[in-house]
Amino acid sequence: MFFTISETDKSSKARAGILKTDHGDIQTPIFMPVGTVGTVKSVHQRELKDDIKAQIILGNTYHLYLRPGTEILHKAGGLHKFINWDSPILTDSGGYQVFSLSQTRKIQEDGVKFKSHIDGSYHFFSPEKSMEIQRYIGGDIFMAFDECTPYPCDYSYAKNSLEITHKWLKRCVKWCDENPELYGYKQHLFPIVQGSTYGDLRKQSAEFISSINADGNAIGGLSVGEPEEEMYRITDIVTDILPKNKPRYLMGVGTPWNILESISLGIDMMDCVMPTRNARNGMLFTWNGVINIKNKKWQDDFSPLDEDGTAFVDKEYSKAYLRHLFAANEFLGKQIASIHNLAFYLDLVTVARKHILEGNFNSWKISTIPKLRTRL
């Protein structure tokens, strides 16, 4: 069994489960740090494992295809060996990055022609090409090729995009059926539900995705600028339809409070660049609220970075010291902040799982979110 549910919350759709892969088990709900080009920015793999407690990380198909390229990854024996990471990896399809290049790409029935952001060279991604690249990368979980619609998006465009995504999914499944894994372990394909913020399209897509009977399913096209309430509304609609015995992955989400709300709606897996991107700009997430470490108020605060933190940086460095590093533009400051934020995100989902197992998740979530949103 790829996924088993250990406990469900009585007052929400939250559930605690175990997702089994050939590179190890993952306790859900889980947050997945984003390692775009084979690295979670400014963080060593040892820190990811020992201090942050990451159970699974992401690789980005578009970026890894361009650099270092599939030939190098294949020679290395896949991304796990290339970066020396022996735990699970999830790869996206490259679709989001390709479609974000709105000025330099052209969508066709067969796939997408796009221009590299590195050297301006032209490339073509089809569903089959995306699958092939992800085979070479060798993620334990890999995503079907889809079109991520922008927000706002008119109904006719969203509907047409949905139809293309579903056609491409059939081609992804066919390619996977005809092409075995490369590195001797199982790769699990996840289709992606699309449909923008239109409830009827999301229902149609969720029903089609469910009929594929894949090992797990993802929800894409959210957290792209729409109001939080819209994201929660659509997620709620989709999780009512997707199979309950399969893991559900909400792509690109989000803030700590987004994560807890999504868990309450039945989401098992989430990822986002926010903890590292915001860390590099001096924003720290904590159980007591959000800190802008660049603010003058922290310049003579010699207390630990985070008394409740789980990473070594939280006890070894003070707020005043971290503020000094940012003021001096020392890269160590960005590293410390990144480790702190990622460790906090992993602690957040670990504690959420504990409350699901204890049967009081929803009441805990309601009392916790206002603290998380506080600006300190």
Side-chain angles (χ1 to χ4, degrees), residues 60-174:
N60 183 272
T61 293
Y62 166 81
H63 288 284
L64 291 169
Y65 161 76
L66 293 175
R67 291 185 299 202
T70 53
E71 183 180 351
I72 296 296
L73 291 170
H74 193 205
K75 284 182 179 179
L79 186 61
H80 289 89
K81 291 184 177 178
F82 186 61
I83 68 173
N84 192 28
W85 175 258
D86 61 4
S87 294
I89 292 175
L90 182 149
T91 54
D92 66 9
S93 69
Y96 178 79
Q97 282 69 31
V98 168
F99 295 118
S100 68
L101 303 170
S102 57
Q103 304 303 314
T104 58
R105 52 92 168 144
K106 182 179 180 181
I107 303 171
Q108 306 166 23
E109 187 74 17
D110 286 344
V112 183
K113 183 179 181 181
F114 64 94
K115 188 190 239 184
S116 165
H117 72 287
I118 298 170
D119 60 9
S121 59
Y122 280 96
H123 303 267
F124 183 78
F125 271 15
S126 64
E128 293 81 6
K129 183 67 173 178
S130 174
M131 296 297 95
E132 179 184 59
I133 296 167
Q134 291 185 80
R135 273 284 195 260
Y136 281 116
I137 296 172
D140 300 87
I141 298 169
F142 64 129
M143 310 305 298
F145 193 57
D146 69 322
E147 179 182 3
C148 178
T149 52
Y151 179 86
C153 174
D154 66 54
Y155 186 89
S156 60
Y157 185 95
K159 188 173 188 301
N160 182 65
S161 173
L162 186 69
E163 291 169 354
I164 291 175
T165 291
H166 290 175
K167 289 177 183 176
W168 285 353
L169 172 58
K170 291 179 180 178
R171 290 166 57 185
C172 290
V173 171
K174 183 176 185 292

Side-chain angles (χ1 to χ4, degrees), residues 32 58 90 143 217-219 247-251 269-271:
M32 303 178 286
L58 266 67
L90 182 149
M143 310 305 298
N217 301 292
I219 305 171
R248 302 161 178 157
Y249 164 31
L250 182 58
M251 306 177 76
M269 307 164 68
M270 291 143 287
D271 77 286

Side-chain angles (χ1 to χ4, degrees), residues 315-330:
K315 306 297 189 294
E316 291 191 8
Y317 303 113
S318 69
K319 297 180 182 73
Y321 178 57
L322 184 57
R323 183 188 183 276
H324 157 71
L325 292 177
F326 271 93
N329 199 29
E330 284 288 338

